Amino acid sequence: MINIKNLLQDIPKPIRLFLGKALLLFVVWKILYVGFLLDSKILDYPLTTHVGEASAELLNRFSSMSGFESVREVKTSIYEGELITEETSMIYHNNKPVLYIADVCNGLELIVLYIGFIVCMPSSFFRKLLYIVLGAILLDVVNIGRCIGLIYLREYFEYYFDFAHKYLFKITIYAFTFLLWMLYARKINLNNESVQVE
C-alpha cells in the first residue's frame, strides 16, 4: 500500500509549495466565481461583449470581408437533453448568424489559469505584474484571433469548423499559454539557486 505521507515528503519542498498555492488559488477562484461572479456576469458580460465586438471590427477593417456585426443576444439551445438559455455575443455577416460567443468562450478561465501560474511561481512583484498584464492582453488577442479564424472557416470551409473549434484552436491557445509560462519560468529562484529553463 502506498504511504501518502512518504510520497509527499519525496516531492521537493518548492514543488509542494507551488502545488499548495495553486490548489488554494484554484479553490478561492472557484468559490468567488461560482458563488458571486457567475450569476452577476460582472466579468463575463464585458469580456464576451469585447471579444465579439473586436472580432467583428477587425474583420470589417482588415479583411476582404465586410458587413460583420456583433450583437448581444439570448440564445436557447438543448445540451444533453436540457434546455439552456444564455446571453451571448452573436456575430452576424450581412444579417446571417455565423458565430456565437458564449461566456465559456471568452477566455476568462484561461486568463485566470495563466495568472494563477504566475502568482504561484517565485519572482519579483514587478516581473509578475509585467507578465500578468502583457500575458492577459496577448491571451485576449489570441482568443479574438481564434474567433476570427472560426468565422473564416464558417464562411469558406465549414467542413473544418467543428474540428478547428473542438481541437485545433484549443490546442493552439493552450500551446501559446504554455509558451508564455515557459518564457516567465526561464529564470526562477528555488532554494536560493538560480534555475535556468532552456
Side-chain angles (χ1 to χ4, degrees), residues 44-114:
D44 283 317
Y45 183 90
L47 188 57
T48 303
T49 302
H50 156 73
V51 171
E53 289 176 352
S55 300
E57 185 67 23
L58 288 170
L59 281 166
N60 286 331
R61 286 182 181 254
F62 300 110
S63 76
S64 58
M65 300 184 285
S66 63
F68 288 94
E69 179 184 18
S70 176
V71 178
R72 291 295 294 188
E73 283 188 3
V74 175
K75 183 175 182 346
T76 303
S77 59
I78 296 175
Y79 180 73
E80 295 183 355
E82 286 189 46
L83 191 65
I84 297 174
T85 303
E86 61 185 335
E87 191 173 353
T88 66
S89 281
M90 184 69 82
I91 309 281
Y92 287 91
H93 185 215
N94 297 324
N95 297 319
K96 176 186 135 194
V98 290
L99 184 73
Y100 78 92
I101 303 167
D103 289 343
V104 296
C105 302
N106 65 17
L108 179 62
E109 285 286 330
L110 187 62
I111 291 170
V112 170
L113 178 67
Y114 168 79

Side-chain angles (χ1 to χ4, degrees), residues 117 121 127 131 179-189 194-198:
F117 177 87
M121 292 294 288
R127 186 165 188 262
Y131 273 83
L179 176 67
L180 289 176
W181 284 337
M182 290 303 295
L183 288 172
Y184 176 76
R186 284 181 305 163
K187 297 177 184 176
I188 58 173
N189 190 350
S194 183
V195 178
Q196 297 285 334
V197 178
E198 300 283 333

